[in-house]
Amino acid sequence: MAGVAVRGIRKRFAGAEALAGISLDFPDGGFFGLLGPSGSGKTTLLRIIAGFEHPDSGRVEIGGEDVARMPVERRRIGMVFQSYALFPNMTVAENVAFGLRAAGVPRAERATRAAEALALVRLQGLGERRPHQLSGGQRQRVALARAIVTRPRVLLLDEPLSALDKALREEMQVELKRIQREVGVTTIFVTHDQEEALTLSDRIGILRDGLLVEEGPPETLYAAPRTRFAAEFLGAANILTGEAVPEGLRLPDGAILRAPAPARMVAIRPEAVTLAPDGSAPEGWTALTATVTARIFAGARTILHLERHGTALRASLPGGAPPALVPGAEARLAIPPDRVVPLTG
Amino acid sequence: MRGPVPLLAPAYLWLTLAVFLPLSAMGFFSLVSDIPVGGRAWTLTLDNYAEFLARPFYAQLLWRSLELGAVVTGLCLLIGAPCAWVLARTIRGRWREALFILVILPFWSNGLVRVFSWAIALRGGGVLDWAVNAILPWDVRVNLMFSWWAVVIGLVHSYLPYVILTGYVAMQAIDQRLIEAARSLGASRRMILWRIVLPLSLPGLAAGAVLVFVPVVGSFMEPRILGGRAGTFFGTVIEDQFTAVFNWPLGAALSFILLAVVLAVLAAAAPILRRSQ
Amino acid sequence: MTAVLNAIGRGWLILTLAFLYLPILVMAAMSFNASPFYRLPVEFSTRWYAALMGNAALKQAAWNSVWIALVTTAIATALGTAAAIGLHRHRFPGRALLQAALYPPIAIPWLITGTAMLVFFYFLGIPRGSPAVVVGHVALAIPYVVIVVGARLKGFDPALEEAARSLGARPWQVAAWVTLPYLAPAVIAAALFAFAVSFDQFVISYFLAAPGDTTLPVEIYAAIRKGFTPEVNAVSTIVIGLSMALMLLVARLARFGEVR
């Protein structure tokens, strides 16, 4: 096991900048999610750590050791590919034992360790099957078992759950987290799915256009993003702009939005927008009125789409909304100041 | 990673030496009075092409070969297209695979022997003759052997699988939902055939047609075996120059003219061929 | 209505198959007919097959055909597989041209290619004979090998090789344990294909082989031209049986006609 660090990584492909100077620490034993839209460079960064691509400049360290000149096969990594990349000409057990075979582990020990790894991913007894005889979720587990059986220093996952349907994906998230905790291997995974990143990671790094936008524990990134991009990419957010005043922010129509600090731009999560009971906001909260434009029933919550002087707002209300709040109606909103997040850019 | 050169060079050098250089060299040999070997005197000349133009016999034979190509191609399309359709759209599962292999199997087997087998079936007093006489009450002599029709039958037999193969691939790729959509819009069977199926399978059938036409125009073995005296075509005349008359420069010129015709056909069909891939 | 049309279609297909196979079956039947004048009905005999055993020229031609096909197979499979991998792995200017260059040997009538080879080899001082035949056959077989192996490579997930490397496999182990096992069926199919291309090839051999020391198809052609004897039936039946068996094997390996 080992921590991973990248320093000032730059990479161009055919003239386009894929990574524009990224430095990050991936803590030992942690579960780190690299999150970003497609083209943000997250997969390139993962492939550079694996050794499939070489950075134009910058350093990659695994366990404090510079691996620039080390080919993939000597880096002692485990990787799970988006397509799983199970060898079709081998059985499940042979797939899992592949890395041990390459390392020259004796046959008997290979069999024992492969069986252990299959048990860890709850596929005991399926060793003699061929990959094509397995379901998508089972293939995913085999790929995982194959990647960890060699006790790698770091486990790299490239969009590991994207090929699965929603129910299976949620089940595998729990499994993945359990297995990672049991093995304790430093894990870096790439995803474009913010929910997946929030569920799995101890830390998240958000990438955009080859640059690191923000990094931190998921709770912090969600509750207190510093940038508009992070606020909008990690969950839904109302973005409001105006003039910075001592109480917080003055909206273009003159209303004051209370915030912990003066700000010209703030983010408010839809679930932080509440309805003012009896039309009046609690002491210190911001009271606003807005017109309902749409009302969406989403099971446990009801989403109100609102508009105030040309600015769209969203409120996510637990349970039902009052029946009177139909499109065209006026809603009186109350926003607690501690849920208003000042943004820097 | 190393470059592609060490992987590609051997194969392409071989192709260059054995195919592309000879083809280019033939262009040169068609312009000389004698093959420049062993100190033989030779000059650059257009005589060989003048010979082609001076004797209408050659142009007539080229025309005869093109006509043969057209007839054989037409028959192959007529017979093959429905077969391709049946295979691609109405038969399913293991039967389809088996029948498909059955259709292309003769195609990949020995071509010479297949032509020869027609010689046995078609000859007077042969099986066809015998079968016809067994059915018909009156005495008929069926002897198609050594006729233009024998050549046509042998060539259709040789190249029919091409059309079925390319047609099958194109027709199999037609999305069934397109036909269902047309039916839901009230299209008749005939309209579906003409406005959807045919346009969509046309690239495949056209590719098949080109793949039949080109070798038929250059055929010489089939006419020799099945055609006898009726089997003189452009291909057999070229062969004669190399194996009987030993006028190689003239043979090279005739070969080159044939190559020009073939390349013109291939070039004209290139957009369709590319679409069918 | 649909049922009637389907029945007509199937009937048409069966008639076509009959057209394709009947003459071959007739030839095979005649090869077992005792009568040298193809008298009907067939009177069973293996005398023509026995006569083949005593035909030195045919036996020599058969032997030539086999070894020429084997040499062609070895060379064309090696060169063609390498070229297919080179075309698949690398993107470079002129790649499309190289891919297009595979088709002339297939598409240009063999009469033209064959006579061009004859003249060119003569000019270079390469005499007619088996070595020249091999040179020609290999050139014809290479494109087929590249196409068959290339088709298999298209379905190859490059992540398989990356996965092997990430698991610590050295380059030779990646090749031996992952890439080659994946390619094996296509390489075997391509080799059988190359063998068939050479073994069945008539035109190129006809122009390049030395008179009197030729391949089986050329020898059969000569015999047919002289006036066909039932012996030719017998050897032809053997040849077509062999080449069909070979292609059936290829079809099984390459999975032609498989519903994808």
Side-chain angles (χ1 to χ4, degrees):
Chain A
M1 248 65 72
V4 175
V6 297
R7 293 281 172 267
I9 299 284
R10 287 177 175 275
K11 177 76 182 173
R12 297 181 79 87
F13 284 117
E17 188 130 70
L19 292 174
I22 286 197
S23 300
L24 256 176
D25 283 296
F26 304 93
D28 190 356
F31 204 128
F32 197 106
L34 285 172
L35 178 66
S38 62
S40 59
K42 55 190 193 301
T43 297
T44 306
L45 183 60
L46 193 79
R47 290 174 61 82
I48 284 176
I49 296 170
F52 294 123
E53 312 282 355
H54 297 281
D56 299 335
S57 62
R59 284 164 63 86
V60 178
E61 289 171 12
I62 300 179
E65 177 191 10
D66 184 358
V67 293
R69 301 196 168 277
M70 198 183 272
V72 178
E73 57 268 27
R74 291 192 28 234
R75 291 192 181 191
R76 292 183 36 230
I77 55 166
M79 185 155 174
V80 174
F81 293 79
Q82 199 172 358
S83 61
Y84 310 142
L86 299 181
F87 306 122
N89 55 316
M90 300 178 199
T91 63
V92 165
E94 285 167 345
N95 261 283
V96 175
F98 186 93
L100 302 172
R101 185 174 163 206
V105 174
R107 185 179 292 270
E109 191 190 334
R110 284 195 324 237
T112 323
R113 282 172 65 181
E116 279 168 17
L118 282 173
L120 182 66
V121 299
R122 300 190 176 154
L123 285 182
Q124 46 278 68
L126 292 187
E128 293 315 305
R129 298 265 181 96
R130 295 267 166 184
H132 67 89
Q133 294 170 308
L134 302 181
S135 70
Q138 290 173 325
R139 281 179 214 181
Q140 161 75 52
R141 288 161 193 257
V142 175
L144 190 61
R146 184 177 72 176
I148 55 180
V149 74
T150 53
R151 298 179 194 134
R153 297 190 290 179
V154 49
L155 178 63
L156 306 172
L157 310 172
D158 182 9
E159 304 253 3
L161 305 176
S162 65
L164 304 177
D165 63 47
K166 193 173 189 299
L168 207 50
R169 198 158 61 222
E170 282 167 5
E171 185 193 322
M172 277 309 294
Q173 285 172 359
V174 178
E175 278 287 288
L176 204 54
K177 191 100 186 171
R178 170 186 70 81
I179 292 162
Q180 196 265 344
R181 216 173 276 132
E182 274 178 44
V183 180
V185 60
T186 309
T187 303
I188 305 172
F189 86 110
V190 152
T191 183
H192 63 269
D193 181 338
Q194 40 109 358
E195 212 179 298
E196 197 170 294
L198 288 173
T199 315
L200 287 174
S201 323
D202 310 331
R203 291 184 82 81
I204 293 177
I206 299 178
L207 268 63
R208 179 199 193 183
D209 297 336
L211 284 169
L212 183 70
V213 179
E214 258 180 80
E215 188 241 351
E219 298 81 1
T220 314
L221 283 188
Y222 186 80
R226 281 179 290 108
T227 60
R228 177 175 187 166
F229 182 77
E232 289 187 317
F233 197 71
L234 210 59
N238 294 304
I239 304 292
L240 297 172
T241 54
E243 193 185 327
V245 291
E247 299 92 326
L249 171 140
R250 195 209 311 267
L251 294 171
D253 57 56
I256 299 288
L257 187 64
R258 288 167 191 277
R264 283 160 54 196
M265 181 169 26
V266 297
I268 306 165
R269 297 286 175 201
E271 62 269 24
V273 180
T274 61
L275 293 178
D278 332 315
S280 64
E283 181 58 31
W285 289 30
T286 303
L288 290 174
T289 54
T291 313
V292 177
T293 54
R295 173 190 173 114
I296 294 162
F297 175 67
R301 309 191 76 87
T302 298
I303 317 285
L304 288 183
H305 286 237
L306 305 146
E307 198 207 288
R308 182 188 153 78
H309 300 299
T311 307
L313 278 174
R314 253 185 295 174
S316 174
L317 307 169
L325 290 181
V326 293
E330 284 280 295
R332 303 180 71 76
L333 309 172
I335 302 165
D338 59 332
R339 303 289 298 273
V340 176
V341 185
L343 300 178
T344 54
Chain B
M1 201 187 279
R2 283 172 303 141
V5 174
L7 289 169
L8 295 170
Y12 280 93
L13 269 180
W14 197 295
L15 285 179
T16 307
L17 277 174
V19 178
F20 298 112
L21 275 183
L23 286 176
S24 336
M26 198 158 67
F28 169 67
F29 292 129
S30 70
L31 295 170
V32 296
S33 54
D34 198 357
I35 300 296
V37 161
R40 273 192 252 174
W42 60 277
T43 50
L44 276 178
T45 171
L46 283 172
D47 282 359
N48 301 309
Y49 290 96
E51 170 93 359
F52 174 81
L53 294 172
R55 313 237 327 247
F57 165 72
Y58 294 120
Q60 278 163 15
L61 278 182
L62 180 57
W63 179 248
R64 206 169 123 83
S65 279
L66 291 171
E67 194 185 53
L68 180 72
V71 170
V72 170
T73 306
L75 282 173
C76 283
L77 284 173
L78 224 59
I79 300 171
C83 289
W85 177 258
V86 171
L87 268 178
R89 310 297 303 195
T90 74
I91 295 172
R92 302 255 158 254
R94 297 204 67 75
W95 266 106
R96 166 149 82 167
E97 199 174 335
L99 284 170
F100 181 75
I101 288 172
L102 216 54
V103 167
I104 59 166
L105 189 57
F107 179 56
W108 288 115
S109 67
N110 196 296
L112 173 82
V113 168
R114 286 198 293 140
V115 172
F116 170 62
S117 73
W118 276 106
I120 295 175
L122 294 177
R123 65 200 293 277
V127 177
L128 190 66
D129 196 2
W130 179 76
V132 168
N133 278 302
I135 297 165
L136 299 176
W138 60 89
D139 192 41
V140 259
R141 297 240 66 95
V142 182
N143 190 354
L144 283 174
M145 194 53 190
F146 299 134
S147 70
W148 189 80
W149 278 107
V151 178
V152 169
I153 291 172
L155 286 169
V156 169
H157 187 248
S158 293
Y159 295 108
L160 174 62
Y162 256 144
V163 173
I164 302 184
L165 181 66
T166 57
Y168 170 83
V169 171
M171 289 170 184
Q172 199 199 18
I174 297 177
D175 191 340
Q176 180 62 31
R177 283 167 297 187
L178 289 180
I179 294 170
E180 283 163 7
R183 284 176 62 181
S184 76
L185 295 167
S188 66
R189 215 175 272 281
R190 175 201 280 279
M191 190 169 162
I192 289 172
L193 177 66
W194 285 102
R195 303 299 294 272
I196 294 170
V197 171
L198 218 57
L200 287 176
S201 43
L202 205 61
L205 291 175
V210 171
L211 292 176
V212 174
F213 184 80
V214 166
V216 167
V217 173
S219 62
F220 76 93
M221 170 265 281
E222 296 88 346
R224 283 263 194 256
I225 294 178
L226 296 172
R229 229 181 284 278
T232 305
F233 290 92
F234 202 63
T236 59
V237 170
I238 294 176
E239 186 220 336
D240 276 340
Q241 304 308 316
F242 287 97
T243 60
V245 187
F246 295 106
N247 188 347
W248 286 15
L250 177 60
L254 296 179
S255 251
F256 218 63
I257 290 166
L258 181 59
L259 180 62
V261 171
V262 164
L263 290 180
V265 171
L266 287 175
I272 306 173
L273 289 174
R274 210 168 299 131
R275 207 144 46 99
S276 74
Q277 280 178 351
Chain C
M1 183 64 184
T2 311
V4 174
L5 278 176
N6 279 352
I8 294 175
R10 272 161 215 215
W12 187 259
L13 182 64
I14 288 164
L15 281 178
T16 305
L17 283 171
F19 169 72
L20 286 175
Y21 282 90
L22 274 183
I24 297 169
L25 293 176
V26 165
M27 179 183 75
M30 286 303 171
S31 72
F32 290 105
N33 190 351
S35 158
F37 309 110
Y38 301 96
R39 210 177 8 249
L40 291 165
V42 171
E43 189 187 323
F44 185 81
S45 153
T46 54
R47 61 182 281 206
W48 306 114
Y49 289 89
L52 279 184
M53 292 299 108
N55 189 328
L58 270 181
K59 276 205 293 200
Q60 177 62 36
W63 167 239
N64 282 347
S65 273
V66 169
W67 81 253
I68 286 173
L70 286 175
V71 174
T72 300
T73 303
I75 300 174
T77 307
L79 268 51
T81 302
I85 293 173
L87 286 173
H88 178 75
R89 284 268 167 86
H90 301 277
R91 297 288 176 273
F92 50 89
R95 181 169 168 274
L97 185 75
L98 287 189
Q99 278 176 323
L102 294 172
Y103 293 97
I106 299 175
I108 292 175
W110 291 328
L111 170 67
I112 300 177
T113 322
T115 52
M117 286 176 182
L118 169 66
V119 180
F120 185 67
F121 292 170
Y122 177 74
F123 174 70
L124 290 183
I126 302 171
R128 290 175 73 168
S130 300
V133 174
V134 168
V135 171
H137 282 191
V138 169
L140 287 192
I142 282 175
Y144 291 106
V145 174
V146 177
I147 289 167
V148 170
V149 176
R152 176 94 178 155
L153 276 169
K154 255 185 215 154
F156 186 69
D157 180 0
L160 288 179
E161 286 183 340
E162 291 182 349
R165 292 185 64 201
S166 77
L167 293 165
R170 287 178 282 281
W172 72 265
Q173 290 170 323
V174 176
W177 297 348
V178 177
T179 317
L180 287 180
Y182 176 84
L183 278 187
V187 173
I188 294 167
L192 291 171
F193 223 113
F195 187 92
V197 165
S198 169
F199 189 74
D200 293 333
Q201 179 50 241
F202 161 68
V203 179
I204 301 285
S205 316
Y206 177 67
F207 288 112
L208 296 182
D213 182 26
T214 69
T215 65
L216 202 49
V218 179
E219 195 61 36
I220 292 174
Y221 179 73
I224 296 168
R225 300 279 285 153
K226 266 183 256 165
F228 29 95
T229 63
E231 247 179 278
V232 180
N233 280 350
V235 70
S236 295
T237 304
I238 293 173
V239 166
I240 203 149
L242 214 76
S243 71
M244 281 194 175
L246 206 61
M247 286 323 291
L248 267 181
L249 211 58
V250 177
R252 273 211 73 84
L253 286 167
R255 305 301 242 144
F256 290 136
E258 188 175 69
V259 189
R260 265 167 294 180

